[in-house]
């Protein structure tokens, strides 16, 4: 069966005028309903009939009626117009009501706290919203994959991203267990890492990431080696606590283990600072009601304002 040819814009002209006139069978009433003049209404119907090559209405100065062609056209067209009206209504509903599915893409290590601190309270306030939190360190194009918003470091955001700060700037630190430090000694400079077992962190790009440290005021990458490589923040911290070697981890994630004495911070003067984490959405995209509600909710809880994040030449590591 041959597929119908795509519609042209000019083929749609006059269809609404036809549907209203078919219902009212009165040119003046139809024109008044559409907010146009009777002459414009007459012109729209005459142009439609000329394009179709058939009369749709039988009309005199006193009455208007549908021809056989008009009746068939009406029977086929009106359900299609109803479907278009339903589609427009569904979109308008998304733009005005806080409901539907809201999809968020966040780093794996951030997901648990985001769910507890933001998502669950937000859903309690807006029970008609279904939230999907996709935890991933892949840093794939968020909007191309159909997500409404994402969580990233400020350094990794597109120049036109609109973002709200979730955390203050924080360092990426180096840590080891007391047992490991006791047996191998504490490194005092980045060059000492060559003499230590360091837990590797394999990123979403498949590469084991170097440790970025500040030396003489500049960022420098150090290739480290050890017997263990992991690919998620939880395993990275567990490896450090278990004494597998030194680890490179976000300070907020390691804070609990430092406080309990399970980890000891090392190389503190060389730790780099990140800009912190932001929830962001496209600056080119009109916010739907569900997304606007989430942004307002986050801003209220963090007392932050939306801002365009400037581009940066520094690239932060995934939270680990």
């Amino acid at each position: 069966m041959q597929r119908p040819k795509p519609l042209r814009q000019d083929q749609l002209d006059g269809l609404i005028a036809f549907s209203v006139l078919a219902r009212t069978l009165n040119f003046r009433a139809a024109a008044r309903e559409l907010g146009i003049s009777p002459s414009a209404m007459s012109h729209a119907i005459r142009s439609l009939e000329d394009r179709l090559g058939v009369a749709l209405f039988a009309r005199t100065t006193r009455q208007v009626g549908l021809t056989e062609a008009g009746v068939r056209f009406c029977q086929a067209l009106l359900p299609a117009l109803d479907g278009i009206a339903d589609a427009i209504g569904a979109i308008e509903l998304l733009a005005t009501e806080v409901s539907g599915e809201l999809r968020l893409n966040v780093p794996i290590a951030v997901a648990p706290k985001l769910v507890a601190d933001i998502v669950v309270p937000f859903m309690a306030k807006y029970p008609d919203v279904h939230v999907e939190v996709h935890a991933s360190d892949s840093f794939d194009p968020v909007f191309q994959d159909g997500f409404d918003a994402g969580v990233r470091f400020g350094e990794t955001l597109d120049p036109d991203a609109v973002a709200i700060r979730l955390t203050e700037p924080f360092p990426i630190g180096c840590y080891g267990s007391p047992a490991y430090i006791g047996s191998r000694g504490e490194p005092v400079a980045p060059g000492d890492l060559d003499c230590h077992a360091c837990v590797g962190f394999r990123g979403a790009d498949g590469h084991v990431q170097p440790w970025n440290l500040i030396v003489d005021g500049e960022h420098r990458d150090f290739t480290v080696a050890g017997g263990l490589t992991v690919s998620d923040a939880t395993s990275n911290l567990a490896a450090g606590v278990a004494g597998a070697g030194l680890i490179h981890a976000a300070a907020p994630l390691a804070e609990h283990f430092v406080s309990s004495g399970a980890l000891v911070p090392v190389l503190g003067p060389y730790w780099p600072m990140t800009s912190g984490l932001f929830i962001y959405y496209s600056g080119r995209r009109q916010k739907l009601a569900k997304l606007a509600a989430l942004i307002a909710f986050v801003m209220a809880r963090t007392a932050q304002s939306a801002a365009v994040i400037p581009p940066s030449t520094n690239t932060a590591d995934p939270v680990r």
Side-chain angles (χ1 to χ4, degrees), residues 24-136:
T24 62
L25 297 179
N26 185 296
F27 272 88
R28 289 189 177 277
R32 186 165 54 249
E33 184 171 326
L34 293 176
I36 61 177
S37 66
S39 60
M41 184 73 188
S42 179
H43 176 73
I45 297 300
R46 186 165 57 253
S47 296
L48 177 62
E49 291 176 326
D50 289 344
R51 289 200 309 275
L52 295 176
V54 63
L56 300 173
F57 294 94
R59 46 195 183 270
T60 67
T61 56
R62 293 188 176 183
Q63 58 182 319
V64 177
L66 285 164
T67 64
E68 180 183 0
V71 170
R72 292 189 179 185
F73 191 54
C74 190
Q75 291 172 340
L77 177 64
L78 293 188
L81 291 179
D82 288 341
I84 293 172
D86 289 342
I88 292 173
I91 296 301
E92 290 176 342
L93 189 65
L94 285 176
T96 57
E97 290 197 3
V98 183
S99 61
E101 186 177 44
L102 188 64
R103 303 183 69 226
L104 308 177
N105 185 296
V106 304
I108 294 172
V110 176
K113 188 167 179 60
L114 183 80
V115 168
D117 293 353
I118 300 294
V119 173
V120 172
F122 174 76
M123 293 178 65
K125 184 175 182 179
Y126 298 104
D128 292 332
V129 178
H130 173 79
V131 181
E132 176 187 343
V133 177
H134 179 73
S136 171

Side-chain angles (χ1 to χ4, degrees), residues 9-316:
Q9 178 63 41
D10 65 324
Q11 290 178 300
L12 301 177
D13 294 341
L15 296 186
I16 300 300
F18 169 81
S19 67
V20 175
L21 183 59
R23 175 166 47 80
T24 62
L25 297 179
N26 185 296
F27 272 88
R28 289 189 177 277
R32 186 165 54 249
E33 184 171 326
L34 293 176
I36 61 177
S37 66
S39 60
M41 184 73 188
S42 179
H43 176 73
I45 297 300
R46 186 165 57 253
S47 296
L48 177 62
E49 291 176 326
D50 289 344
R51 289 200 309 275
L52 295 176
V54 63
L56 300 173
F57 294 94
R59 46 195 183 270
T60 67
T61 56
R62 293 188 176 183
Q63 58 182 319
V64 177
L66 285 164
T67 64
E68 180 183 0
V71 170
R72 292 189 179 185
F73 191 54
C74 190
Q75 291 172 340
L77 177 64
L78 293 188
L81 291 179
D82 288 341
I84 293 172
D86 289 342
I88 292 173
I91 296 301
E92 290 176 342
L93 189 65
L94 285 176
T96 57
E97 290 197 3
V98 183
S99 61
E101 186 177 44
L102 188 64
R103 303 183 69 226
L104 308 177
N105 185 296
V106 304
I108 294 172
V110 176
K113 188 167 179 60
L114 183 80
V115 168
D117 293 353
I118 300 294
V119 173
V120 172
F122 174 76
M123 293 178 65
K125 184 175 182 179
Y126 298 104
D128 292 332
V129 178
H130 173 79
V131 181
E132 176 187 343
V133 177
H134 179 73
S136 171
D137 288 337
S138 66
F139 293 91
D140 293 331
V142 169
F143 307 117
Q144 291 180 17
D145 291 342
F147 292 97
D148 296 290
V151 174
R152 296 288 186 269
F153 284 102
E155 293 93 340
T156 65
L157 299 182
D158 294 334
D160 60 350
V162 182
I164 297 93
R165 179 177 290 281
L166 288 175
T167 73
E168 294 300 318
F170 58 81
I172 302 293
C174 301
Y175 305 89
S177 71
Y180 176 85
I181 298 297
S183 65
R184 300 291 293 270
E186 179 179 345
V188 295
D192 296 341
L193 293 174
D194 291 338
C195 302
H196 282 269
C198 298
V199 177
F201 194 101
R202 191 177 301 279
D205 61 0
H207 297 102
V208 176
Q209 299 170 351
W211 290 17
N212 185 264
L213 298 170
I214 302 295
V215 179
D216 297 328
E218 296 183 351
H219 287 263
R220 282 186 55 186
D221 286 339
F222 291 83
T223 300
V224 297
L228 176 63
T229 299
V230 299
S231 61
D232 68 278
T234 302
S235 298
N236 187 46
L237 290 165
V241 171
L246 300 178
I247 64 170
H248 199 219
L253 298 180
E255 182 179 4
H256 166 74
F257 299 99
V258 172
S259 299
S260 68
L263 288 176
V264 176
V266 297
L267 298 175
Y270 302 96
W271 292 3
M273 290 291 295
T274 72
S275 64
L277 292 169
F278 295 78
I279 185 168
Y280 77 104
Y281 55 94
S282 172
R284 299 188 182 97
R285 168 179 169 140
Q286 183 179 1
K287 291 184 294 182
L288 299 175
K290 59 186 179 182
L291 179 56
L294 176 67
I295 297 306
F297 186 83
V298 171
M299 290 169 62
R301 291 180 76 87
T302 61
Q304 299 290 338
S305 299
V308 176
I309 304 301
S312 171
T313 56
N314 294 329
T315 301

